[in-house]
Amino acid sequence: MAMRNPWKPGVYARLPWSAFAALVGAVGGVVGSVAVLVVSNGKPISDWTVQPTVYLSIISTLTNLMVHYALAQGVTIAWWTRALKPDTKISHLHQYWETGNSLLASLKIGRNFNLVALASIIVAISPVNGPLLQRASRVAVVAEKGTIAISVGMASQLPYGYTGFVEGRGYVPAFYNPIFTPIVNAYSDRLNIKINNTGCTGTCTSIVAGAGFAVSCSSYESTFNANPIMQPAGQPFNTSQPLMAEGVLAFQSSFLWYAGAPGNISLNVEYKPAPGCAGRLIVRNCTLSPAIVRYKVSVDGNASTISLPANSSIYDDEIISTYNVTETYTPGSYTTYGGLFLALANRFNSWTNMRFAGAIGYDVTTSGAVANQYVQPNTTSGAESMTCGLAFTDPTDNLIDNARELMFRTAVAAANSSNVRSVPAQQEATIAVYQSHYMYLGLASLFTTLAIILVVPTFIGYWYLGRNVSMSPIETAKAFNAPLLRNEDSNAEADHLIDNLGHIGVRYGVILTGAGNDGLLTKQGVSQSYADISGRRLEIAPPEYVVNPQKGWEFGG
């Protein structure tokens, strides 16, 4: 006798573990979506190899699959527990099956609306969480401030002979060193100072030590009188008067360098501050000496450039130490600082001379661009210049700042790998970050959570079942006592039924239950269950009892 399966109800015995695990997994999906959006919010996109939206898409897909699986298991249990109830009708079972498998049926069920239909509708809608989660994470461009370490290379002292050559008995700088020429050209063309591999990804401000200048200045005033000495009436002007022969330097800017002090560059400035043929001349004398200083710098990580702050000056540089430069020259020798002097002198040495020229008034001659840059407005017209109206402003600070910039460019260019230092910097970067929008997360979580909540009640009563049930057509056919399955254990699970009956051949078609119907006879050996109703009947039966239905045939029960 074949082994029978006893009826084993119970909370733990019949617990639908896989379905409950799917529901727990769906809850984990909601938590995972929250975690991805919270963790990614405000983080640079460069920190994420895989975009958060990809994770969210995977999570929402898996979550929806688990909810749908749980619903399928819940519908199965709801169908069988409904079948256990004494007031159940076949229509009830059909409605549970239909609404559990069709959104359209759930929407059309009308007054027979049930919990399975509601769960089916909400679960069908829940995949809207996918598009909502995709909207929950976007890329935004934000300004970020913080302290980072950057790498900056800057020579603390210029290498020997880096800037030029001296010629002649006076050892005067005559040419730039070829490695210094591009620096001068970039300075003259106002090109940005390139620096690579700093680690700065935005705009960084820092303090960096490098070769610079220590400056000391002195000033004094002198007087002049450009009025000619008048001669007695009828006598010609005395052309030997100094103001007629030489005139007065109303403006002068002059960078100087001497081989005897090869590390120092001098700047002499003289200017006439007010209109008039007699008055004051202001004289300023400055010495730029080699030093190691701390520069305040600005690094543009996007453009890979470094610069001095626009409003800074040499007086903002902190002097770490000064040092002397000792060099012995012969014609053609290298010079460390002579090329710097030559570049500054070529660009900024300038003068304006004002000389009394007799009846025509005053003759004004100029050389260089600086005099024109610093002449006061409205003092250069013909009438003003003929009557000593020229006046100038002080160029000293600007000239020193230019010398400082050229030195700064040179220190950056002269750096080698041993001069690279890691320094702290304040970075302000415009970066692309992921920005989470929690409203969309809330809506997506609401739909998913509602689907989970509505699936749970479909499992109510599972503990009354005595075996693991399914919606297998074999198992449901057995429950309806189908003739082919009648001899099997009525409490067998679908897998057990398949193991015992899976080898039997079946066919759907017409079973003839009597003789003489359209010339077809019931085959010998037909069991009484096939022959107890006369006429034709559609049925799944052993293939030897089945023929194809023909158009126009009608069938009995």
Side-chain angles (χ1 to χ4, degrees):
M1 182 177 179
M3 182 177 294
R4 298 297 178 178
N5 297 290
W7 185 260
K8 292 182 178 179
V11 173
Y12 295 104
R14 298 281 71 86
L15 186 69
W17 295 102
S18 63
F20 278 15
L23 290 175
V24 172
V27 173
V30 175
V31 175
S33 298
V34 173
V36 168
L37 289 170
V38 170
V39 172
S40 66
N41 187 39
K43 296 298 188 298
I45 61 174
S46 58
D47 290 355
W48 290 68
T49 303
V50 179
Q51 297 177 4
T53 51
V54 175
Y55 289 114
L56 293 172
S57 178
I58 293 172
I59 290 172
S60 64
T61 299
L62 293 177
T63 299
N64 293 333
L65 287 174
M66 288 185 284
V67 171
H68 277 81
Y69 173 79
L71 175 65
Q73 298 301 305
V75 169
T76 297
I77 289 175
W79 191 91
W80 285 97
T81 56
R82 187 71 176 91
L84 285 174
K85 295 179 180 180
D87 60 343
T88 301
K89 298 180 174 59
I90 288 178
S91 63
H92 296 154
L93 298 180
H94 176 74
Q95 289 163 5
Y96 272 45
W97 168 81
E98 186 179 33
T99 56
N101 291 275
S102 169
L103 174 61
L104 181 60
S106 299
L107 295 172
K108 293 171 59 178
I109 195 170
R111 60 186 179 87
N112 294 317
F113 196 79
N114 55 54
L115 182 62
V116 172
L118 178 60
S120 179
I121 292 171
I122 299 303
V123 170
I125 296 173
S126 64
V128 74
N129 58 12
L132 288 172
L133 287 175
Q134 292 299 302
R135 295 284 293 173
S137 180
R138 303 180 192 175
V139 175
V141 178
V142 299
E144 183 181 64
K145 295 181 180 179
T147 301
I148 65 168
I150 62 173
S151 299
V152 179
M154 185 175 295
S156 57
Q157 296 185 18
L158 299 187
Y160 166 74
Y162 190 79
T163 66
F165 300 96
V166 296
E167 297 290 351
R169 293 182 179 180
Y171 308 127
V172 177
F175 296 100
Y176 304 131
N177 188 326
I179 60 175
F180 182 59
T181 301
I183 302 171
V184 177
N185 291 339
Y187 166 71
S188 298
D189 294 338
R190 313 309 300 151
L191 300 181
N192 292 326
I193 306 171
K194 288 293 183 179
I195 188 168
N196 296 315
N197 304 318
T198 61
C200 177
T201 58
T203 300
C204 299
T205 56
S206 184
I207 297 177
V208 182
F213 285 124
V215 61
S216 60
C217 293
S218 62
S219 62
Y220 63 91
E221 293 185 4
S222 64
T223 60
F224 76 98
N225 189 342
N227 292 309
I229 301 174
M230 303 303 295
Q231 300 297 318
Q235 295 185 17
F237 287 107
N238 181 2
T239 57
S240 65
Q241 293 180 43
L243 290 177
M244 297 186 68
E246 300 175 6
V248 175
L249 279 175
F251 180 91
Q252 182 182 30
S253 61
S254 178
F255 281 98
L256 302 172
W257 179 88
Y258 301 100
N264 294 340
I265 298 175
S266 298
L267 170 63
N268 297 329
V269 171
E270 176 181 306
Y271 66 97
K272 176 174 171 281
C277 294
R280 298 180 304 141
L281 290 174
I282 297 177
V283 180
R284 300 191 67 182
N285 299 315
C286 298
T287 300
L288 301 172
S289 304
I292 301 175
V293 304
R294 289 189 178 94
Y295 291 105
K296 294 179 181 179
V297 300
S298 177
V299 176
D300 186 336
N302 297 317
S304 297
T305 61
I306 188 170
S307 62
L308 297 167
N311 296 322
S312 67
S313 72
I314 199 169
Y315 304 106
D316 297 318
D317 301 338
E318 179 186 350
I319 297 175
I320 300 174
S321 63
T322 59
Y323 56 92
N324 294 321
V325 174
T326 302
E327 295 176 349
T328 302
Y329 299 119
T330 59
S333 295
Y334 288 103
T335 173
T336 304
Y337 282 83
L340 282 166
F341 148 74
L342 183 60
L344 294 169
N346 286 343
R347 186 174 178 87
F348 297 111
N349 283 9
S350 181
W351 53 262
T352 296
N353 185 272
M354 185 176 68
R355 183 177 68 88
F356 182 70
I360 64 170
Y362 288 84
D363 183 21
V364 177
T365 56
T366 65
S367 176
V370 178
N372 278 283
Q373 293 172 355
Y374 286 90
V375 66
Q376 294 183 21
N378 304 320
T379 67
T380 57
S381 66
E384 293 293 332
S385 63
M386 290 177 63
T387 58
C388 311
L390 287 175
F392 297 85
T393 56
D394 186 3
T396 305
D397 289 342
N398 182 264
L399 297 180
I400 291 175
D401 285 343
N402 277 274
R404 173 193 182 224
E405 181 190 339
L406 183 58
M407 171 58 87
F408 178 76
R409 287 176 174 268
T410 307
V412 173
N416 54 40
S417 58
S418 65
N419 300 130
V420 177
R421 303 175 184 86
S422 179
V423 294
Q426 292 297 315
Q427 176 175 262
E428 182 173 345
T430 301
I431 59 174
V433 300
Y434 292 112
Q435 195 172 77
S436 297
H437 296 265
Y438 295 112
M439 180 187 72
Y440 293 105
L441 170 64
L443 291 173
S445 300
L446 175 63
F447 281 107
T448 304
T449 303
L450 189 59
I452 294 171
I453 291 173
L454 290 175
V455 167
V456 170
T458 63
F459 294 95
I460 293 175
Y462 75 85
W463 49 86
Y464 294 121
L465 298 173
R467 68 173 186 277
N468 294 327
V469 294
S470 72
M471 292 304 293
S472 166
I474 306 303
E475 186 172 356
T476 54
K478 176 60 182 173
F480 281 102
N481 198 28
L484 275 177
L485 310 175
R486 187 166 294 163
N487 295 328
E488 288 300 312
D489 180 5
S490 60
N491 195 38
E493 296 180 7
D495 291 342
H496 179 80
L497 293 174
I498 295 302
D499 289 341
N500 291 339
L501 303 174
H503 63 282
I504 297 177
V506 293
R507 180 183 178 189
Y508 180 69
V510 180
I511 295 295
L512 298 177
T513 60
N517 292 305
D518 297 326
L520 295 173
L521 297 175
T522 303
K523 295 187 177 182
Q524 297 298 319
V526 177
S527 66
Q528 180 62 32
S529 61
Y530 291 118
D532 56 0
I533 301 176
S534 61
R536 307 182 190 92
R537 183 171 67 245
L538 288 170
E539 187 175 315
I540 294 178
E544 60 267 26
Y545 301 119
V546 178
V547 296
N548 288 330
Q550 303 297 315
K551 184 177 180 180
W553 280 9
E554 295 180 355
F555 307 96

